[in-house]
Amino acid sequence: MMKKFRGIIFDLDGTLIDSLADIADSANSALASLNFPTHPVENYQYFVGDGVKTLMDRILPTEAVEDEAVMAECLRRYSEIYAENWANKTRPYPGIPELLDTIDRCGLKKAVFSNKPAQCTERCVELLLGNWTFDAVVGQKDGVIPKKPDPTGGIFIRDAWGFLSDEILYVGDTSTDMQTAKNAGFYSVGVTWGFRPEEELRENGARVIVHEPMEISELFQ
């Protein structure tokens, strides 16, 4: 008999929302404004997921990464552009609304834990997922919530709920997410509609792989 789960923590980008095009467009605009080469949208599947500073490390040429002033300026420009354009193309993945409705009907707690900056995470959830109430929305915040795979944000949610780690499903689309779940003791669910291949999820400890959002409901119904 499967363990009875009481709560679900979701990653955001690549799990609940398809945000790749807006991230890529904004990052390429920042690069072009500094006369650096841009990248195909699909390459951003491997650039994203580990916070905005790591994104800059991955998109800038090596010599630029070594220049702190250039790094800081690219990050500033990207953040400014993305703040204006993050919702141009970004939408919940098909099947996510139905899954969230099912979670609500079943009475489970639900939360978001993202490597996006905290304010941006909250804004995304409010605008794109505002039809549902999340018990917690946690993003990266320097000195408070370290970026995943550090489990601090997830542990914060768990403790607020008063649940045991193994009563919580953690749903994500990258190796970082699977490592986060392992570090927190959560039951890891890897999704294949996001930014990374199934092999990466399995290699990093996914307990279950799902190919459609509603498959997740089979774990708690």
Side-chain angles (χ1 to χ4, degrees):
M1 183 176 175
M2 180 167 280
K3 172 82 180 177
K4 183 170 175 59
F5 297 108
R6 302 173 67 192
I8 302 181
I9 300 175
F10 290 98
D11 170 54
L12 185 59
D13 299 87
T15 300
L16 290 174
I17 61 173
D18 184 359
S19 54
L20 196 69
D22 284 332
I23 292 172
D25 290 350
S26 298
N28 281 338
S29 292
L31 290 170
S33 73
L34 291 166
N35 297 313
F36 289 124
T38 59
H39 305 278
V41 172
E42 59 268 22
N43 288 15
Y44 281 87
Q45 293 181 88
Y46 294 92
F47 297 156
V48 302
D50 296 300
V52 289
K53 292 177 182 175
T54 303
L55 175 62
M56 297 302 105
D57 283 341
R58 292 170 177 166
I59 66 174
L60 281 163
T62 304
E63 63 273 16
V65 171
E66 293 168 356
D67 187 325
E68 287 186 17
V70 172
M71 278 277 287
E73 180 59 17
C74 191
L75 176 57
R76 186 192 69 78
R77 293 189 188 198
Y78 166 75
S79 299
E80 191 174 272
I81 295 165
Y82 187 63
E84 292 294 321
N85 297 281
W86 67 272
N88 289 352
K89 302 172 183 175
T90 300
R91 298 291 182 271
Y93 284 102
I96 290 298
E98 292 81 0
L99 173 62
L100 296 176
D101 285 342
T102 303
I103 291 169
D104 285 349
R105 282 198 301 272
C106 292
L108 275 74
K109 296 277 194 182
K110 63 183 183 299
V112 171
F113 177 24
S114 174
N115 267 345
K116 256 184 165 50
Q119 199 170 14
C120 186
T121 299
E122 292 161 9
R123 197 164 66 242
C124 283
V125 171
E126 182 180 3
L127 182 68
L128 298 176
L129 300 166
N131 290 340
W132 300 273
T133 299
F134 288 84
D135 300 284
V137 177
V138 176
Q140 192 269 329
K141 186 178 291 187
D142 288 343
V144 181
I145 303 292
K147 69 180 184 178
K148 300 180 290 186
D150 186 299
T152 299
I155 299 299
F156 169 80
I157 295 166
R158 179 203 68 189
D159 291 349
W161 286 346
F163 296 167
L164 299 174
S165 287
D166 64 2
E167 295 177 316
I168 296 172
L169 293 165
Y170 184 89
V171 183
D173 69 304
T174 69
S175 57
T176 298
D177 291 312
M178 299 305 98
Q179 292 162 13
T180 302
K182 183 178 180 181
N183 292 340
F186 301 148
Y187 191 94
S188 54
V189 180
V191 309
T192 60
W193 58 80
F195 300 158
R196 302 291 173 81
E198 182 175 338
E199 295 75 20
E200 176 178 318
L201 301 170
R202 291 193 183 280
E203 288 169 4
N204 285 275
R207 302 280 295 276
V208 171
I209 299 288
V210 297
H211 306 288
E212 301 287 344
M214 283 304 292
E215 289 180 49
I216 296 169
S217 67
E218 297 170 12
L219 298 172
F220 60 80
Q221 288 196 100

